[in-house]
Amino acid sequence: MNETLTTILEHRSIRKFKDMPIEADQLDLIIDAARSASTSSYLMAYSMIGVTDPKKKEQLAAISNQPYIKDNGHFVLFLADYHRHMVTASREEKQVIATNVQSTEYFMIATVDATIAAQNMALAAESLGLGICYIGSIKRDMDLVNQLFDLPEHVIPLFGLAIGHPDERQEIKPKLPKRAVYFENSYPSDEEQFTYLQQFDSETEAYYQSRSTNTRSDRWTQQVIQNLHNKRNDRLTPFVKEKKFNNR
Amino acid sequence: MNETLTTILEHRSIRKFKDMPIEADQLDLIIDAARSASTSSYLMAYSMIGVTDPKKKEQLAAISNQPYIKDNGHFVLFLADYHRHMVTASREEKQVIATNVQSTEYFMIATVDATIAAQNMALAAESLGLGICYIGSIKRDMDLVNQLFDLPEHVIPLFGLAIGHPDERQEIKPKLPKRAVYFENSYPSDEEQFTYLQQFDSETEAYYQSRSTNTRSDRWTQQVIQNLHNKRNDRLTPFVKEKKFNNR
């Protein structure tokens, strides 16, 4: 075991932060961590916007009614970004590129690039004693996020990262056991998976009943099946396409 | 600075590995690191397949003609996965879920979940002195990957991770500077971005001319513009849809 492994294994999402900003040199370090990320074909098809403007933070928080989007030490919005690549291209090059990047493949590449950078930032922050929470719920109103930051074509928000000094300490939430997510050389049968998931249901049921706050009667499969019944936001698909992603 | 930050900031991709497997207890640690990842709505919509079968590794390596896909200590394939969520669902629930998860949003969620887990595994491996390289080029023949692992509907390969004992030490590749990827409260103008990218071009030009192996005359914008002229694989978009992702 080493410090990096401990940081990774001790992760829990933090949703309550002390009312203090993160220090400038810590901010620089976590930005450098994000910048150091692996990237597909050296494209670095992502950007970050640090949001400190209280009005913008309030509007972001209102999208999902989650106070920790505004009440934190820092908030970073992660974007898929092929706009930068066009800034120095000739007009002819721009036309070709603007078409190509609308494929599913380039959509995946930008999403993966942004996420690797984000997880570097998350772990860097946690290694400094800060807490983090990924904010996927900005997807509930992408038009508003787009408008708040006046994003050009070929740039879409993906998720946010709330960062700050933790003002809570949650238990670590149980995760799917090794044999349920990691397979060797072939994908397992439904029967095998069923067994593993039933065992995980017992584990999560015990967790929800014994945790120190917000105890309830629940288990993993019940929770995710309920969740996946949720159609989510019908505007997301057309929004992504209007912004010139995922059209081909 | 701490050990985790050093691990993150010292990242370079490794494409030449010693001919030795990674130890079983190290493998367990890096799998645990992946499993500890943040996940959207507790869905854990990803799986991993560790590939040790030499025939399968050879076929994967042949897709992109990259020997380090087979010549490494370990190879892990990362999958977007909503199949598991249906294994315990009733028939009625399955129908609803099978439709819902075909949205752009659920495609993004699974891709992000898998990538956070992958980057945890990558950093865990690097913290143990191992080297890693993300393998995006499996996307050149997803049908073959799909067939090799007999993946059910609602499961697609995203990328691989080659891991092992490094048999090379590359320089760290320059990354876009802070002001080119991290903005405050608003997205920058094209003029601003143009200036930053020109400066980065000078930096990358110097890097390519001075590095210890494979020196050449190149700069970032030239390289990525050329890259984005590449249409990539036309089969990827229909493949993803046939596997019941990204249809709505």
Side-chain angles (χ1 to χ4, degrees):
Chain A
M1 196 64 55
N2 60 44
E3 212 181 278
T4 307
L5 286 163
T6 306
T7 300
I8 292 172
L9 300 175
E10 290 281 308
H11 165 74
R12 61 267 277 164
S13 293
I14 297 298
R15 296 185 173 81
K16 193 162 180 276
F17 299 98
K18 289 182 185 146
D19 184 20
M20 55 196 283
I22 66 177
E23 286 170 30
D25 58 345
Q26 291 197 330
L27 182 58
D28 275 341
L29 280 171
I30 66 172
I31 294 169
D32 282 346
R35 294 198 305 109
S36 300
S38 295
T39 166
S40 182
S41 307
Y42 207 17
L43 288 173
M44 300 185 271
Y46 77 100
S47 294
M48 301 170 274
I49 299 183
V51 189
T52 53
D53 179 335
K55 278 186 194 157
K56 290 189 180 182
K57 283 180 97 165
E58 231 161 80
Q59 286 183 276
L60 287 175
I63 292 175
S64 52
N65 202 23
Q66 287 168 346
Y68 48 93
I69 297 179
K70 59 177 175 59
D71 302 332
N72 51 49
H74 201 64
F75 185 89
V76 181
L77 185 67
F78 281 82
L79 312 167
D81 190 339
Y82 288 108
H83 178 76
R84 144 183 331 118
H85 305 82
M86 284 173 231
V87 167
T88 60
S90 69
R91 192 146 49 130
E92 291 73 24
E93 289 168 338
K94 237 177 247 180
Q95 283 179 337
V96 179
I97 294 176
T99 307
N100 282 351
V101 297
Q102 295 188 46
S103 70
T104 304
E105 179 157 5
Y106 279 113
F107 179 46
M108 290 166 77
I109 285 173
T111 305
V112 169
D113 269 13
T115 308
I116 297 176
Q119 184 57 7
N120 268 6
M121 181 178 278
L123 289 172
E126 289 177 328
S127 80
L128 293 165
L130 301 168
I132 65 104
C133 187
Y134 277 89
I135 309 291
S137 57
I138 56 154
K139 289 199 279 299
R140 290 188 193 179
D141 194 350
M142 288 292 224
D143 293 287
L144 177 62
V145 183
N146 186 52
Q147 181 198 318
L148 274 177
F149 299 100
D150 198 16
L151 302 176
E153 280 187 349
H154 306 292
V155 180
I156 50 168
L158 293 172
F159 49 78
L161 201 60
I163 307 168
H165 296 274
D167 200 18
E168 64 176 8
R169 184 165 170 90
Q170 300 289 354
E171 282 100 314
I172 297 175
K173 222 168 162 179
K175 297 290 163 64
L176 284 169
K178 176 182 168 184
R179 55 190 188 166
V181 281
Y182 180 85
F183 316 125
E184 277 185 38
N185 292 311
S186 60
Y187 196 84
S189 70
D190 286 6
E191 292 67 32
E192 259 184 88
Q193 290 209 50
F194 189 81
T195 311
Y196 305 152
L197 297 178
Q198 276 195 315
Q199 287 163 2
F200 188 56
D201 270 354
S202 307
E203 191 188 335
T204 47
E205 197 163 24
Y207 162 76
Y208 280 118
Q209 269 163 13
S210 69
R211 68 180 182 177
S212 54
T213 57
N214 196 18
T215 56
R216 65 178 198 258
S217 176
D218 204 352
R219 51 183 199 274
W220 187 74
T221 59
Q222 176 181 306
Q223 189 181 138
V224 294
I225 286 169
Q226 203 172 349
N227 207 310
L228 291 167
H229 263 78
N230 174 359
K231 265 183 67 189
R232 306 231 171 190
N233 175 12
D234 275 340
R235 254 302 285 161
L236 187 70
T237 301
F239 170 82
V240 168
K241 291 181 191 295
E242 287 161 22
K243 296 288 290 179
K244 309 292 182 194
F245 276 90
N246 202 31
N247 279 305
R248 304 178 58 235
Chain B
M1 197 64 55
N2 60 45
E3 213 181 275
T4 306
L5 287 164
T6 305
T7 300
I8 292 172
L9 300 176
E10 290 280 309
H11 165 73
R12 64 266 279 162
S13 292
I14 298 298
R15 295 185 174 80
K16 194 162 180 279
F17 298 98
K18 289 182 184 146
D19 184 20
M20 55 198 281
I22 66 177
E23 286 169 31
D25 58 345
Q26 291 196 331
L27 182 58
D28 275 342
L29 280 171
I30 67 174
I31 293 169
D32 282 347
R35 294 197 306 110
S36 300
S38 294
T39 167
S40 181
S41 305
Y42 207 18
L43 289 173
M44 301 184 271
Y46 77 100
S47 295
M48 302 170 273
I49 299 184
V51 190
T52 53
D53 178 335
K55 280 187 193 157
K56 289 189 181 182
K57 283 181 97 167
E58 232 160 79
Q59 286 183 276
L60 287 174
I63 293 176
S64 52
N65 203 21
Q66 287 168 346
Y68 47 94
I69 298 179
K70 58 178 175 60
D71 303 331
N72 51 50
H74 201 65
F75 185 88
V76 181
L77 184 68
F78 281 82
L79 312 167
D81 190 339
Y82 287 109
H83 176 75
R84 146 186 327 119
H85 305 81
M86 284 174 232
V87 167
T88 59
S90 69
R91 190 144 52 131
E92 291 72 25
E93 288 168 338
K94 237 178 246 182
Q95 282 179 337
V96 179
I97 293 176
T99 307
N100 282 351
V101 296
Q102 295 189 45
S103 70
T104 304
E105 178 157 3
Y106 279 113
F107 179 45
M108 292 167 76
I109 284 173
T111 306
V112 170
D113 270 12
T115 308
I116 298 175
Q119 185 57 8
N120 268 7
M121 181 178 277
L123 290 171
E126 290 178 328
S127 80
L128 293 166
L130 301 167
I132 66 104
C133 186
Y134 277 90
I135 310 291
S137 58
I138 55 154
K139 290 199 278 299
R140 291 190 193 177
D141 193 350
M142 289 290 225
D143 293 287
L144 177 61
V145 184
N146 186 52
Q147 182 197 317
L148 274 178
F149 299 100
D150 198 15
L151 303 176
E153 282 188 350
H154 306 293
V155 180
I156 50 169
L158 293 171
F159 50 78
L161 202 61
I163 308 168
H165 295 275
D167 199 19
E168 65 175 7
R169 184 167 170 89
Q170 301 288 354
E171 283 98 315
I172 296 174
K173 223 167 163 181
K175 297 291 162 65
L176 285 169
K178 177 181 167 183
R179 54 190 189 165
V181 279
Y182 181 86
F183 316 124
E184 278 185 36
N185 292 310
S186 60
Y187 195 84
S189 69
D190 286 4
E191 292 67 31
E192 259 183 90
Q193 289 210 49
F194 189 81
T195 310
Y196 306 152
L197 296 178
Q198 276 196 316
Q199 287 163 3
F200 188 56
D201 270 352
S202 308
E203 192 188 333
T204 47
E205 198 163 22
Y207 162 76
Y208 280 117
Q209 270 162 13
S210 70
R211 68 181 181 176
S212 53
T213 57
N214 197 16
T215 58
R216 64 179 199 256
S217 176
D218 204 351
R219 49 183 202 274
W220 187 74
T221 59
Q222 177 181 305
Q223 188 180 139
V224 295
I225 286 168
Q226 203 171 346
N227 207 310
L228 291 168
H229 264 78
N230 175 357
K231 265 184 67 189
R232 306 229 171 192
N233 177 10
D234 274 341
R235 256 300 288 161
L236 188 70
T237 301
F239 170 82
V240 168
K241 291 183 191 296
E242 288 161 21
K243 297 288 290 180
K244 309 293 184 193
F245 276 91
N246 202 30
N247 280 303
R248 305 178 58 235

